[in-house]
Amino acid sequence: MAIPSLSQSYRLVVYHDCRFVSLVHPEAAAGGFGSGFIMAHQQNNRLSFRRSANGLRRSLIAALSVLPFRSWADDTTSVKSDAAELDESEKQILVVVGPSTHPPGTHEVAAGGRLVAHCMMHPLNAPPIRTIVVDHWPDAETQSKADSIVFIGDMFPPTKFANTESILDELAGMMDRGCGIVCLHYATGLEAKDVGPEGQHPLLQWMGGYFATRCDHHRSVARIFDAATIENASADHPVGAGWEPFTLHDEPYINNYFGPDANRMLPGAIPLATSMLPPEAPERQVVAWGINRADGGRGFGIVMPHYYRNWANDPLRTLICNGIAWSTGADVPKDGFKTAAPNLKQFDPDSIEPQARKKAKTR
């Protein structure tokens, strides 16, 4: 995606000793965001930041994703760019994008992370929730400011990053202070190598369940359904607000794992969305769930969307945004956390429509 040139009204700002790149737009202040909002891409260190042209490109794309899709020369108003002046009482989300090897149009985790940030910062009927997107495990300062952490990637991203054990220790600290946690689609997934022999893993307690892929203790199922109808399992719950049953072509995982007691949900956990699957032998499957934890935090898991284009599905997007907002402790509007239909191309996916996986070349 070509990055448009920046007018004087769009200031590129580097914070915290060159570890953050941010773009602040004057319409943020005009729209009631105080001094403006920040979308940041965190770099591991100053040296990697200076050497990484791709990192800068990702930073700009992440920042641009939360701005209005419009001409860059339309506004000449100056804007304050001091991050310290932002209201620290506002809710803040940390979106962690893990690696993905899925073909274009499926998963699209980087574009999906940017799209999530855009939606949470541009609701139609609720206060915006500040969002930071990173593609690695962030530093302690960034962790400390998050009211909820959202994971998107192929498998639970901490299992794919280096230093998994230390990341899980730091994540446990976040959970202990009541931080929320959300996993989207494949980020709900754990493999046999990640869990104990009986399926033990802290994600089970933090989020209330997970997609058990290739595990010995439980076998969840990943299958694409031409027409899966998603039903509201808890309409009186904040996450159930403002969306009606919908049908989509996607890969909602089934037979997800919720605990060692005959797969019954843990105390505090509830189903939020279900579907009668598979079609040849339908049973009510939980495809989205939530948990109120004893530490005061909240977890939300949803096993969709597989196809990037399904982010354009209004009920699905409302369900996901409700869950993310609820996980922070924010109030969800009675008609749901509403967002405008996104321009999917704006978030720089490899493809909007799913593409076939390329076959390996043979010699």
Side-chain angles (χ1 to χ4, degrees), residues 228-235 239-240 243-248 252 271-277 283-289 302 304 315-316 319:
T229 296
I230 311 302
E231 298 176 340
N232 195 327
S234 300
V239 179
W243 63 274
E244 299 295 331
F246 58 96
T247 300
L248 77 171
L272 297 171
T274 60
S275 188
M276 296 298 293
L277 295 170
E283 296 183 11
R284 190 163 299 282
Q285 302 285 344
V286 177
V287 295
W289 61 91
I302 183 167
M304 300 168 284
L316 174 62
L319 166 58

Side-chain angles (χ1 to χ4, degrees), residues 107 185-186 188 211 221-222 251-256 286-287 303:
H107 292 205
H185 193 48
Y186 205 7
T188 61
F211 167 54
V221 177
E251 187 187 31
Y253 305 139
I254 61 176
N255 197 33
N256 297 294
V286 177
V287 295
V303 293

Side-chain angles (χ1 to χ4, degrees), residues 47-65:
L47 184 61
S48 67
F49 172 81
R50 287 178 174 173
R51 290 180 175 177
S52 175
N54 287 334
L56 178 57
R57 177 179 180 272
R58 287 194 299 269
S59 302
L60 285 169
I61 291 171
L64 295 174
S65 75

Side-chain angles (χ1 to χ4, degrees), residues 267-352:
I270 56 171
L272 297 171
T274 60
S275 188
M276 296 298 293
L277 295 170
E280 68 276 8
E283 296 183 11
R284 190 163 299 282
Q285 302 285 344
V286 177
V287 295
W289 61 91
I291 188 170
N292 281 293
R293 305 194 308 265
D295 56 34
R298 295 168 173 175
F300 171 66
I302 183 167
V303 293
M304 300 168 284
H306 170 76
Y307 292 118
Y308 178 68
R309 65 189 178 195
N310 282 338
W311 281 107
N313 183 293
D314 289 337
L316 174 62
R317 201 172 58 257
T318 298
L319 166 58
I320 292 174
C321 291
N322 284 354
I324 295 174
W326 175 75
S327 74
T328 70
D331 292 330
V332 178
K334 292 183 178 180
D335 56 346
F337 194 94
K338 297 296 186 182
T339 58
N343 179 336
L344 298 181
K345 185 177 180 180
Q346 176 183 354
F347 305 101
D348 196 33
D350 290 328
S351 176
I352 294 175

Side-chain angles (χ1 to χ4, degrees), residues 90-114:
E90 292 176 349
K91 296 294 185 183
Q92 181 162 300
I93 297 166
L94 173 61
V95 177
V96 177
V97 178
S100 175
T101 59
H102 271 67
T106 63
H107 292 205
E108 290 287 355
V109 296
R114 292 188 284 268

Side-chain angles (χ1 to χ4, degrees), residues 81-280:
S81 56
D82 184 1
E85 294 187 12
L86 292 173
D87 184 357
E88 293 300 324
S89 68
E90 292 176 349
K91 296 294 185 183
Q92 181 162 300
I93 297 166
L94 173 61
V95 177
V96 177
V97 178
S100 175
T101 59
H102 271 67
T106 63
H107 292 205
E108 290 287 355
V109 296
R114 292 188 284 268
L115 189 151
V116 166
H118 176 84
C119 289
M120 301 313 296
M121 297 182 76
H122 289 278
L124 300 176
N125 61 342
I129 299 178
R130 294 191 299 163
T131 304
I132 291 174
V133 175
V134 296
D135 61 3
H136 58 275
W137 186 243
D139 62 21
E141 181 181 359
T142 305
Q143 297 171 36
S144 70
K145 295 179 180 178
D147 295 290
S148 185
I149 184 166
V150 178
F151 289 104
I152 183 170
D154 285 6
M155 307 299 297
F156 185 48
T159 68
K160 296 299 182 182
F161 292 150
N163 303 316
T164 294
E165 290 304 318
S166 64
I167 290 174
L168 289 176
D169 287 344
E170 292 181 14
L171 188 55
M174 296 176 70
M175 298 298 105
D176 288 345
R177 66 170 173 80
C179 181
I181 186 170
V182 175
C183 290
L184 305 178
H185 193 48
Y186 205 7
T188 61
L190 293 172
E191 296 179 286
K193 65 180 181 60
D194 303 319
V195 303
E198 304 300 324
Q200 307 96 314
H201 192 278
L203 186 61
L204 178 61
Q205 281 70 40
W206 295 339
M207 196 173 68
Y210 60 82
F211 167 54
T213 176
R214 295 183 290 276
C215 290
D216 296 327
H217 71 287
H218 188 85
R219 294 296 176 97
S220 300
V221 177
R223 175 178 162 187
I224 293 173
F225 299 101
D226 290 336
T229 296
I230 311 302
E231 298 176 340
N232 195 327
S234 300
D236 57 346
H237 189 279
V239 179
W243 63 274
E244 299 295 331
F246 58 96
T247 300
L248 77 171
H249 175 213
D250 205 82
E251 187 187 31
Y253 305 139
I254 61 176
N255 197 33
N256 297 294
Y257 184 63
F258 299 110
D261 184 13
N263 208 34
R264 283 189 281 267
M265 287 191 155
L266 300 177
I270 56 171
L272 297 171
T274 60
S275 188
M276 296 298 293
L277 295 170
E280 68 276 8

